[in-house]
Amino acid sequence: MKIHLIVVIILTTLIVMCISSHRTELRELQFSPTANAKRLFEASWENNTANESISLSIIFDGWNATIKGTQEIELSLSSSSVIPFLFENSSILRFDLEKIEVYGAKVSVKAFYDGKYGILLLNVTPTRSTQKIRLFYTSHYQPLLDINMRDPIEWHMRSTKDYFYIPPEAYMFLSKLRGKFTIKVLHYSTDYTLAGILKLRNGKYKPLLPEEDAFHTDGKRLYILLGRWNIYESTIKINDRNIKVIALTDEGNVTNALSKILKVYSSHLIPYPYDELIYIRFKGHRSEYEGYGLYGGALGTQFKRVIPHEVAHNWFAMYADLGILNEPFAVYTSSLYNLTSEQVDKWEGLCLSLKDKTPIARINGITRQNMNTLYQRGGFILRSLQFVVGNETFFKGLRELLGICHAKDCTQPEETLNLIKEIYENLTNKDLDWFFKEWFYTADYPNFTVSSLKVIQNGNYYRLILNITEKNGFAMPLEVKIVTPTENITKRIFVNGSAILGVELKEKPLRVIIDPNDWMINADGSNYRVNWENFMLEKIEKEAMELNGVEIVVN
């Protein structure tokens, strides 16, 4: 197909109307073919600053978005400079450029198109101390059909009639200018609420709410979001700081739950480090349980099963970036909020069902194969570390880790694991090499069992003697709970291969429970396993075990 049949912007001759010596108007452009317009855009680099503003009117009929825009750039050039503008044209996105106005400068234009992207190269020669460029255009965009993943955040957002997003490519000409940036949405349907997600210079994303329908930023990759949400707001106090809690959702008012999450996490970690938390509900591409941690917020498909994890990323990812280890720390942190014993049992069952056998320390990137290993096994290992070092020491170590990694790069997994080990060894004054080697450098699990049990009656007392063995080469402290008709007695022992536990009881024991609080994943533990045919976690029938009339339960 010839280029003049593809490009919707009129491709006849270049018409330049010189209205005055200080104003130029361009109405029709001639585009030349090029192999790669994006590469040409990236190569066209001049270090210019500007104030840039865009005014938009958005009409959406449930399928098509028509966006009428004016993009204005204010410059203070002292010599000639080439200003590049990139735009995207495809089957679901079409730009109609109506005219370009230039004030305070002479201008010439070169335009190129490669079949998907077009580029305008404006050679601007100043005639006054300040210059102004205005682009007038209409964009025709079909958000529900857009499957282009231009940026990582787009992997986690799917447009529907109820909530849709507009990427920068669909509402503006992309430039490489630096400076203040304002987007004002003058008109949109009253059925929708307006919000935004801004990509920060560090690659993170920040949720934004408009001020009088305008977004003010110092960066230009802003996603415009429109949704049929209700807006809920509340304010909480954490360490004498007021934190604004905002939810854009159709699930009802979840700000009380969000506030509780912030308070719980702040009490165990460091106080919530930002002035507000904004939750935005949005559909995902892959499942009904998707989310993305935002700087001062969270994006997710639903609140209950997604948002506690994504909010945790405000500590582990936004405040302190641990690279791929952000995920196990977020899984663990989310367990601090409303975790029940049944949920822990299911969590353990999921870990025991994993097919991937990659040790955490050997994972360098997140894939479908290793994702649950990193997230679920990694999060549970941190729960086990808490048991080993104790609650007070564990959370003190997390606070120290957050402080260190807020100030330095902690994105290399093995280096960060060594840092974590060093922190806890210093806090406990103990060698923890054994724990990190068996949990982070192998993919196995301990297998604790009661190999023998004796009950000896001595007058009014009973002497219980247990031989507890571990079959997979793990050395771990272990809780053992002994149940009698009127008492529950919990003892802690260290098992390295095997250990003997002797307990004097007032009554005959009825049951012995190994790891009653599910502090670690045991190879024979959990009442759940994943059925991989339907990808469902299902309850399993475990064979009852009894020794000398005493029931043995491995949690």
Side-chain angles (χ1 to χ4, degrees):
M1 185 179 290
K2 293 182 179 179
I3 192 166
H4 69 271
L5 295 177
I6 300 174
V7 181
V8 178
I9 298 176
I10 301 173
L11 304 180
T12 53
T13 57
L14 172 65
I15 297 179
V16 179
M17 300 175 63
C18 189
I19 308 300
S20 72
S21 60
H22 300 297
R23 180 187 170 196
T24 305
E25 187 174 295
L26 298 86
R27 282 193 175 271
E28 296 179 7
L29 303 179
Q30 176 69 46
F31 280 72
S32 301
T34 186
N36 194 320
K38 285 187 79 173
R39 187 175 297 169
L40 190 60
F41 177 72
E42 290 162 3
S44 303
W45 172 247
E46 292 195 29
N47 192 21
N48 291 312
T49 59
N51 291 329
E52 197 162 354
S53 62
I54 297 177
S55 299
L56 300 172
S57 175
I58 302 171
I59 299 173
F60 180 59
D61 63 7
W63 190 260
N64 301 291
T66 302
I67 305 163
K68 195 165 185 65
T70 302
Q71 187 168 341
E72 183 172 294
I73 301 99
E74 292 185 5
L75 297 153
S76 298
L77 300 176
S78 57
S79 60
S80 295
S81 185
V82 175
I83 311 296
F85 294 98
L86 184 74
F87 66 93
E88 180 181 322
N89 261 14
S90 65
S91 59
I92 53 95
L93 173 58
R94 190 182 83 236
F95 260 86
D96 292 337
L97 177 61
E98 294 152 14
K99 66 176 178 176
I100 303 173
E101 293 178 352
V102 181
Y103 299 83
K106 296 178 181 179
V107 65
S108 62
V109 183
K110 292 182 179 179
F112 300 92
Y113 187 70
D114 65 9
K116 184 177 180 181
Y117 292 98
I119 184 171
L120 307 175
L121 298 174
L122 274 66
N123 193 338
V124 180
T125 301
T127 58
R128 289 186 173 177
S129 59
T130 60
Q131 306 83 43
K132 188 177 292 184
I133 301 170
R134 285 180 180 162
L135 299 97
F136 299 84
Y137 54 90
T138 301
S139 163
H140 305 275
Y141 177 53
Q142 293 179 307
L144 276 64
L145 295 180
D146 193 349
I147 58 172
N148 292 323
M149 301 302 173
R150 306 171 187 85
D151 218 59
I153 191 69
E154 295 185 46
W155 285 95
H156 302 274
M157 297 192 298
R158 178 171 62 86
S159 290
T160 68
K161 292 180 180 180
D162 292 321
Y163 353 87
F164 66 98
Y165 71 89
I166 305 174
E169 286 80 359
Y171 68 78
M172 66 177 286
F173 287 84
L174 304 182
S175 76
K176 302 176 81 171
L177 299 166
R178 297 181 296 107
K180 294 181 180 179
F181 185 57
T182 301
I183 299 175
K184 189 170 183 63
V185 184
L186 301 173
H187 174 80
Y188 58 94
S189 172
T190 56
D191 292 344
Y192 291 88
T193 297
L194 178 66
I197 294 180
L198 175 68
K199 186 174 185 179
L200 303 174
R201 298 190 187 281
N202 61 5
K204 312 295 186 186
Y205 298 88
K206 180 179 176 62
L208 295 179
L209 295 180
E211 299 175 16
E212 298 181 350
D213 295 327
F215 300 97
H216 304 278
T217 80
D218 60 355
K220 290 185 292 186
R221 190 152 191 85
L222 177 80
Y223 288 84
I224 296 173
L225 278 60
L226 287 163
R228 289 192 171 109
W229 305 297
N230 295 315
I231 301 181
Y232 302 97
E233 295 187 33
S234 66
T235 301
I236 61 170
K237 192 175 285 289
I238 296 177
N239 273 30
D240 296 325
R241 286 177 55 240
N242 287 326
I243 310 295
K244 188 178 288 187
V245 180
I246 302 168
L248 279 65
T249 181
D250 53 7
E251 302 159 289
N253 191 348
V254 296
T255 57
N256 286 340
L258 281 169
S259 298
K260 182 181 177 182
I261 290 171
L262 292 182
K263 288 178 179 178
V264 169
Y265 296 177
S266 295
S267 68
H268 289 92
L269 305 172
I270 62 170
Y272 182 66
Y274 308 114
D275 294 329
E276 64 182 9
L277 180 111
I278 301 174
Y279 160 47
I280 302 174
R281 190 184 190 197
F282 217 90
K283 293 294 184 185
H285 279 281
R286 293 167 294 179
S287 79
E288 58 183 311
Y289 307 119
E290 274 190 75
Y292 203 85
L294 305 175
Y295 186 99
L299 179 79
T301 54
Q302 61 151 270
F303 180 82
K304 186 176 180 180
R305 292 186 58 176
V306 175
I307 296 308
H309 175 95
E310 303 307 338
V311 170
H313 279 308
N314 281 277
W315 283 266
F316 296 103
M318 305 305 152
Y319 183 80
D321 192 351
L322 311 186
I324 62 171
L325 295 180
N326 289 322
E327 297 304 342
F329 276 92
V331 168
Y332 169 79
T333 302
S334 66
S335 75
L336 300 172
Y337 171 73
N338 281 353
L339 186 68
T340 65
S341 58
E342 181 78 0
Q343 289 169 331
V344 178
D345 197 33
K346 290 180 176 180
W347 185 7
E348 182 183 16
L350 174 57
C351 292
L352 290 168
S353 303
L354 297 176
K355 296 180 179 180
D356 178 67
K357 300 300 179 185
T358 308
I360 301 290
R362 302 298 178 225
I363 296 176
N364 294 311
I366 302 174
T367 66
R368 283 188 177 184
Q369 288 71 32
N370 66 33
M371 185 170 68
N372 277 322
T373 299
L374 181 66
Y375 283 53
Q376 306 303 332
R377 175 183 164 93
F380 215 114
I381 290 172
L382 294 172
R383 178 177 170 84
S384 301
L385 180 59
Q386 178 186 352
F387 173 64
V388 169
V389 301
N391 290 348
E392 184 178 345
T393 299
F394 180 72
F395 292 113
K396 186 176 181 180
L398 290 190
R399 290 189 286 272
E400 186 175 334
L401 177 67
L402 285 166
I404 292 171
C405 295
H406 178 65
K408 63 170 281 189
D409 179 23
C410 292
T411 57
Q412 299 304 311
E414 197 157 5
E415 290 179 16
T416 303
L417 287 175
N418 288 332
L419 171 63
I420 297 166
K421 181 168 80 76
E422 180 183 334
I423 288 172
Y424 285 108
E425 285 180 336
N426 290 338
L427 289 173
T428 60
N429 199 27
K430 293 179 181 177
D431 180 6
L432 293 173
D433 193 55
W434 57 273
F435 178 89
F436 281 79
K437 280 185 175 177
E438 63 191 22
W439 285 104
F440 288 106
Y441 288 84
T442 75
D444 210 345
Y445 298 109
N447 189 351
F448 293 103
T449 188
V450 177
S451 56
S452 67
L453 179 151
K454 292 181 181 179
V455 179
I456 303 169
Q457 186 172 4
N458 184 9
N460 294 329
Y461 292 90
Y462 292 85
R463 179 74 175 168
L464 173 66
I465 302 172
L466 301 171
N467 187 2
I468 299 173
T469 58
E470 196 289 309
K471 302 176 181 178
N472 288 342
F474 277 71
M476 279 290 289
L478 181 69
E479 282 185 341
V480 180
K481 185 176 182 179
I482 299 141
V483 180
T484 73
T486 61
E487 283 188 299
N488 292 327
I489 301 165
T490 301
K491 298 291 183 179
R492 178 171 173 142
I493 60 172
F494 195 92
V495 181
N496 187 0
S498 65
I500 303 293
L501 174 63
V503 185
E504 194 172 82
L505 306 167
K506 296 176 183 178
E507 301 167 288
K508 186 177 180 180
L510 302 176
R511 185 180 301 112
V512 171
I513 305 173
I514 302 296
D515 191 23
N517 294 303
D518 259 333
W519 284 112
M520 69 194 82
I521 305 164
N522 194 299
D524 286 332
S526 182
N527 294 299
Y528 292 88
R529 293 293 186 275
V530 175
N531 181 333
W532 290 110
E533 290 184 2
N534 57 18
F535 293 93
M536 295 290 290
L537 201 59
E538 297 177 351
K539 201 154 191 174
I540 60 172
E541 291 294 329
K542 295 180 69 174
E543 186 177 345
M545 182 178 176
E546 188 177 290
L547 289 174
N548 293 331
V550 179
E551 181 186 2
I552 308 297
V553 177
V554 178
N555 248 7

